[in-house]
Every structure is written in structure tokens, then in C-alpha cells.
Amino acid sequence: MLSILLAIPLIGSLFVLFLPSGNRKLIEQSALFFSGLALFYSLALLGAMDLKEGIMQLEEIYPWIPSINVRYQVGVDGVSMPLVILTTLLTFVSILYSTIDIDRRIKEYYFLFLLLEFGMLGVFVALDFFLFYLFWEISLVPMYFIIGIWGGPKKEYAAIKFFLYTLFGSLAMLLAILLLYFNSSPHTFNILQLSHQKPLQDRELLSALAFLGFFLAFAIKLPSFPFHTWLPDAHVEAPTAGSVILAGILLKMGGYGFYRILLPILPDTCARYAPWVGFLALISIIYGALVAMAQSDFKRLVAYSSVNHMGYVLLAFTAASLTAENWADDAFLALTGGVMEMVAHGLITGSLFLLVGMIYVRTHNRDLDKYGGLGAIIPRYGGFLNFFCLASLGLPGLAGFAAEVTIFLGSFPSARVFVLIAIWGVLLTALFFLRTIRRILHGPLNPAYEETEDIGKIDTLSLAPLALGTFLMGIYPFPLIEFIRSAIKTTLGVM
């Protein structure tokens, strides 16, 4: 069943590639069909799962390269399935919005977008390191071209910077994977088996090197301070849909790696370096919020807010790592909150990047100091902007609040000092998002924007499912919490 899910965007990308370039409508409809089919099928897969079980489900295992014990092995649980659905949802929304945003090299654009979806889904379902690394690299290439071809004035610089940073992390991860493979008995790339074996547990130097390799790859992707500098450039230059996927999904691959790979396979090493990781998490939270507050470019502001929010994901990892020698229930709650934060951030920040693109199309400007008073003339846009800014700053009843409270509650017993400092990040986030609302929607209207049109049907249809998900996750998070929590326990070998 998971192979079919992977096949849908791959077949779709090849199908689009062979369509005639001049038939824009057929290309767009085909991309929408395949991305919508992937979304529908991922929801059907969720219905086929037992949400009360934390075990790996829908697993498929086939021999691939027997000589080195490589297998095609895929599966999903409560950690990966929410991210799979987030991937299919944001890809569909991004392609839908692209139908009114992209007007050149249409066929190549949708081919790359569907290929990107194939790579991202593969990362979240792969249970063999060989397969995981393959999908990790596949997801890198389409985004490089999406930024480099359809991006802004400095697109080549941003694309190359994104590529080099991520490639450096990928090479570090490859070395860590080989360390695990050659020290396992029998030699295996199986992520679940390596989680049980923990082959480097009693080898301090090798485990430290493996930790460093994985940490670099995942921290760059997340991104964590000081590896975040590629992110603002990539976001600012990427087309709107590219920014949505970059923030909504690609960053989550880093957080997923921390939770799925680093903590289960190297728990003792994670515990040893947890204070240093926590220090980086705090810098990401506070520094990300302060730098976002200083921005006048709307898109760059949202980009730096991602550094802030992903710091909470790293905080949950830190708190869990501190209890790695004797797992506590609070650690499971913290990691549960971390997965929820990844989902919430994908919904909310993906929507904010859509809103940035929508206002830019209408005003050809992203300078917050040149806006003002737009709430009176574009009320639908203003309603969505208010909703998603409030969700991002953690308004109770919305997804951001549910995720962050879960992280803080789970992290406090083992990482009190870190939590007490991190809470200030929530206050700073509230300050810069409330200030953003005021600068765009309130005050005197700039005469240059008196004729600005409100958002249309496609814009509304793009934002509506993300708003619904943000609301439902915030008002009733319990089923998601239990689904993720049981999977976290199984992943860490507790159940």
C-alpha cells in the first residue's frame, strides 16, 4: 500500500513530462489530479491503520541488494504518518496555488514538484538507511531547480547555497550510516534493527563521530543555529509554492531524523551532548524571534520565525535525551509535542508563505513599512492573516498552542532551565506577529494600494484546508497525541 502511495507522484511526474508543452491546462489538471490522488490515498492509508497501536504498520519488505543486506523496506507509525499526510496536503495546496502563480516552463515545474513529493514521502516511510539516503538526496535536487529557475532576482545564489549546505550535511550523514553498518552484527542498514542493536553504544569515540554526522545533517535541514543561514535566502528567492514546501516539509525531515534515527540508535550519546544541543535550541528560539522582529521584508520575517519554531522541536529532543538512560513518561510527552509542532508549523507557516505570495502578487511589494490599512479593503485576506498569525504565536484553541504546551509540559521535569528561558521565545513571537498584523492591516492606508483586490477563489481554496487542519488540531488534539505517543514509546523500545 505504501509502494502505491510512492508510485502515484512518481508516475504523475513522468506523465506530466511527456505531455505537450503548449497545453498548459492539461499539464495543470494532470498535476492536480496526481497530487490530489496522493492526498486522498494517504488519508485512506490512515483509515487502514490501527491508531491505538504504536507498532510499525503497513510494512513492506523486499530483497534489493542481498550482497550488502540492502532491502526495500517501508512502513509508517504515529511519528511518520502525520508527516506523510502533511506532505500530500501541502503538495496539493502548493500545486493548486501554482496554477495562478507560475506562468513559464509549466511542464518542467510540475514535473519537478511531483518528483519532489515522491522524494519527501520516501524519507518518511523508508526503514532502510540505503533507501532513506536515496530519498533524502532525491528531495534535494528538485528543490534546487525550483529555486534556481522560478525564484527571485538572487535565485542562483540562494539555490547553490541551499544545495551546498544540504549536500554537506548529507555527506556527513552518509559517513555516520557507514559507521553503523560496519559496526553492526550482522551488517545491516535496517533502521529498526539498528535501533535494537545500538551497535556503537559502548564505543564512545565512534558513537560521537556518528552522532556528529547525523546531527550536522539534521540540524542543517531543521535548521538550527548556527546552520540556519541558508534558510532566509532560500525562502526569499523561492517561488511561493517552493517556500511552502521548504518550510512545511523539508525542514521536518531534520526533526524527523532526530526523533526516528538519532535518539533511538544513539541514546547514550544524545544524553551526553544534550546540554549543548539544548543550548543551540535556546539560541534558535530566542535569536530566531529577535531577528524576525527586526525584519521589514514580510517573507524574511516568516522565514526567521521558522528558525524560532523549529527550536522547540530541538528543545523536545534535548529534554528526552536527558532521560535517555531511564526513559521517563515526560520524555514521551515532549517528543509527542515535537511531532505535533512539526505538523502545526507545516500547516501554519505554509499558510503564511501563501499569504506572503498573495499580497506580493497584488502589491509587488513585501516591505511591511509600506503597507497599512489593508484590512479595510481586503477583508478575506485580513481574516486569514489574523487567523494564521494568531495560530503561529500560540493562541489557545489552535494548533500552535497545543503543540507548544505539550512540549513545555513534557520538557519541564528534565530541562527546567531550558524551558524557563524558551518560554520567553513565545512572548517574542507574539510581539512580532502582532506587530506584523498592525503594520499590514491597521493604520492609515497607503494611497498606492487603494485599488488592491481581495483574494480570489483559488487563494481561498488553498488556505481553507490548512485553516481547518489548524483549527481541528488545536481544538481536539487528543487522538493525535495518543497516536504519536504510542509510536514514540515503541520507537524508543519501551513498548
Side-chain angles (χ1 to χ4, degrees), residues 27-90:
I27 293 170
E28 291 175 344
Q29 289 176 344
S30 299
L32 278 171
F33 171 77
F34 282 103
S35 60
L37 182 60
L39 172 58
F40 176 80
Y41 191 74
S42 67
L43 294 173
L45 289 181
L46 180 65
M49 296 179 67
D50 186 346
L51 303 186
K52 296 180 181 179
E53 289 289 337
I55 59 173
M56 197 63 65
Q57 300 181 53
L58 308 178
E59 204 169 350
E60 300 173 39
I61 306 174
Y62 304 105
W64 188 7
I65 311 175
S67 58
I68 56 173
N69 201 17
V70 170
R71 297 183 292 179
Y72 173 86
Q73 183 174 0
V74 293
V76 286
D77 62 1
V79 176
S80 53
M81 195 63 202
L83 297 173
V84 166
I85 294 175
L86 181 68
T87 301
T88 57
L89 174 61
L90 286 182

Side-chain angles (χ1 to χ4, degrees), residues 109-341:
Y109 178 84
Y110 290 111
F111 161 73
L112 289 169
F113 228 96
L114 289 168
L115 183 63
L116 177 60
E117 182 180 20
F118 168 70
M120 295 185 299
L121 287 172
V123 168
F124 295 131
V125 303
L127 296 178
D128 183 279
F129 264 127
F130 193 92
L131 192 63
F132 178 86
Y133 188 80
L134 180 66
F135 282 121
W136 185 279
E137 293 299 282
I138 287 174
S139 66
L140 168 63
V141 177
M143 183 54 73
Y144 168 77
F145 285 111
I146 288 171
I147 297 172
I149 296 174
W150 292 274
K154 298 180 181 178
K155 56 190 177 185
E156 293 90 353
Y157 169 77
I160 291 172
K161 191 173 183 180
F162 161 76
F163 190 88
L164 290 177
Y165 266 73
T166 311
L167 184 62
F168 175 76
S170 299
L171 292 175
M173 179 170 66
L174 179 60
L175 295 175
I177 290 171
L178 293 176
L179 270 176
L180 290 174
Y181 174 78
F182 286 115
N183 286 277
S184 58
S185 182
H187 294 334
T188 182
F189 287 106
N190 187 308
I191 294 174
L192 300 182
Q193 286 185 14
L194 289 168
S195 298
H196 291 303
Q197 280 191 31
K198 297 178 176 54
L200 300 179
Q201 188 168 11
D202 299 321
R203 310 184 69 172
E204 187 170 326
L205 177 60
L206 291 180
S207 65
L209 291 173
F211 175 88
L212 179 62
F214 283 124
F215 181 82
L216 283 173
F218 302 147
I220 289 171
K221 204 79 168 184
L222 193 61
S224 169
F225 177 91
F227 311 106
H228 68 286
T229 55
W230 63 268
L231 181 70
D233 293 316
H235 270 316
V236 168
E237 300 304 324
T240 297
S243 293
V244 171
I245 295 299
L246 195 60
I249 307 300
L250 289 182
L251 305 191
K252 310 308 177 294
M253 289 163 56
Y256 178 76
F258 277 114
Y259 291 15
R260 170 70 72 207
I261 293 171
L262 203 49
L263 198 54
I265 296 178
L266 298 168
D268 294 342
T269 315
C270 290
R272 193 181 317 137
Y273 295 108
W276 295 104
V277 177
F279 180 66
L280 293 180
L282 289 182
I283 296 178
S284 297
I285 292 168
I286 304 300
Y287 167 83
L290 289 173
V291 176
M293 190 181 297
Q295 301 304 311
S296 60
D297 185 310
F298 192 10
K299 204 171 189 182
R300 193 172 283 271
L301 180 147
V302 178
Y304 275 108
S305 76
S306 294
V307 178
N308 164 262
H309 284 100
M310 290 299 97
Y312 297 120
V313 175
L314 202 56
L315 175 65
F317 171 82
T318 300
S321 298
L322 290 170
T323 70
E325 294 181 359
N326 185 19
W327 296 115
D329 286 340
D330 298 312
F332 309 138
L333 186 62
L335 293 175
T336 299
V339 177
M340 292 177 65
E341 177 69 17

Side-chain angles (χ1 to χ4, degrees), residues 413-426:
S414 60
R416 295 187 180 186
V417 174
F418 291 112
V419 171
L420 291 173
I421 297 174
I423 285 176
W424 288 97
V426 177

Side-chain angles (χ1 to χ4, degrees), residues 427-462:
L427 175 62
L428 294 173
T429 304
L431 288 174
F432 72 73
F433 270 121
L434 291 173
R435 186 165 172 253
T436 299
I437 292 172
R438 180 186 62 78
R439 293 163 84 182
I440 296 176
L441 302 180
H442 303 292
L445 175 64
N446 186 334
Y449 304 134
E450 288 178 349
E451 304 299 323
T452 303
E453 295 182 0
D454 207 349
I455 57 176
K457 291 182 180 179
I458 299 296
D459 302 306
T460 303
L461 286 173
S462 300

